[in-house]
Amino acid sequence: LAVRIGKNYYNGKTYLSVHIVDVRLSSSDEEKYFSEKSIYELYLSTGKADKSLYPEREDCSVVYKYLKQNGGYNYTASDLYFRLQSSITYGKLMFALKAFNQAGLINIQKKITLNQPKQKVDLESTDILKTLKGRIESE
């Protein structure tokens, strides 16, 4: 936990207050997180693609199974990454989630909710994965 400790004055008395600023799993590898996130952000800012960004079928399966088992996810995509860090890179997770969203499998707002698809979906036909694959192949 990352917390902010402060003083709180109430009715003439001083109380200690503790505000939680961030929560992370103790087993998370933050160096790996920042390294993978920088590759993803480089793509977003320059369009320079890296093969480590493209989620294969197995990667998408890991993410979707986790979401399905948990009825979605009530926290941020970065928090989800820390849950799945041993199974998927940051970039693959972000692109898998974007593909799921474009295919209508999920909605991403402040949390991730699952939709009931009416038919089988081909994630590789989503605009986001077609664009990414094209950029990887052109490099």
Side-chain angles (χ1 to χ4, degrees):
L1 293 175
V3 299
R4 184 178 308 128
I5 298 174
K7 293 179 183 177
N8 187 8
Y9 301 100
Y10 181 72
N11 280 343
K13 293 185 179 182
T14 303
Y15 297 92
L16 182 64
S17 66
V18 179
H19 297 274
I20 297 173
V21 178
D22 196 11
V23 178
R24 296 275 166 85
L25 296 172
S26 62
S27 62
S28 64
D29 182 345
E30 292 204 5
E31 187 174 317
K32 182 177 181 271
Y33 166 73
F34 287 113
S35 172
E36 292 173 359
K37 188 174 180 185
S38 69
I39 293 168
Y40 174 73
E41 289 174 345
L42 180 65
Y43 173 80
L44 294 180
S45 64
T46 66
K48 182 172 170 33
D50 184 293
K51 287 182 182 180
S52 70
L53 295 172
Y54 193 85
E56 300 294 338
R57 182 178 171 85
E58 302 80 37
D59 300 313
C60 292
S61 178
V62 165
V63 176
Y64 194 73
K65 283 180 184 176
Y66 183 88
L67 293 174
K68 196 160 184 157
Q69 287 172 350
N70 291 283
Y73 197 70
N74 291 328
Y75 305 99
T76 68
S78 288
D79 292 325
L80 179 59
Y81 167 77
F82 286 108
R83 291 281 176 193
L84 301 173
Q85 187 177 43
S86 63
S87 306
I88 194 167
T89 66
Y90 184 86
K92 287 181 179 185
L93 173 63
M94 294 301 118
F95 280 106
L97 291 173
K98 287 179 181 195
F100 293 162
N101 192 48
Q102 282 185 358
L105 295 172
I106 64 172
N107 287 322
I108 303 174
Q109 299 295 322
K110 290 186 178 183
K111 62 183 183 175
I112 301 168
T113 55
L114 293 169
N115 296 328
Q116 294 298 321
K118 293 178 175 37
Q119 60 193 27
K120 193 168 178 137
V121 241
D122 178 17
L123 292 176
E124 290 188 11
S125 69
T126 60
D127 290 341
I128 192 76
L129 292 188
K130 286 193 294 191
T131 300
L132 178 59
K133 191 171 203 167
R135 290 191 179 162
I136 289 170
E137 290 173 353
S138 70
E139 301 225 356

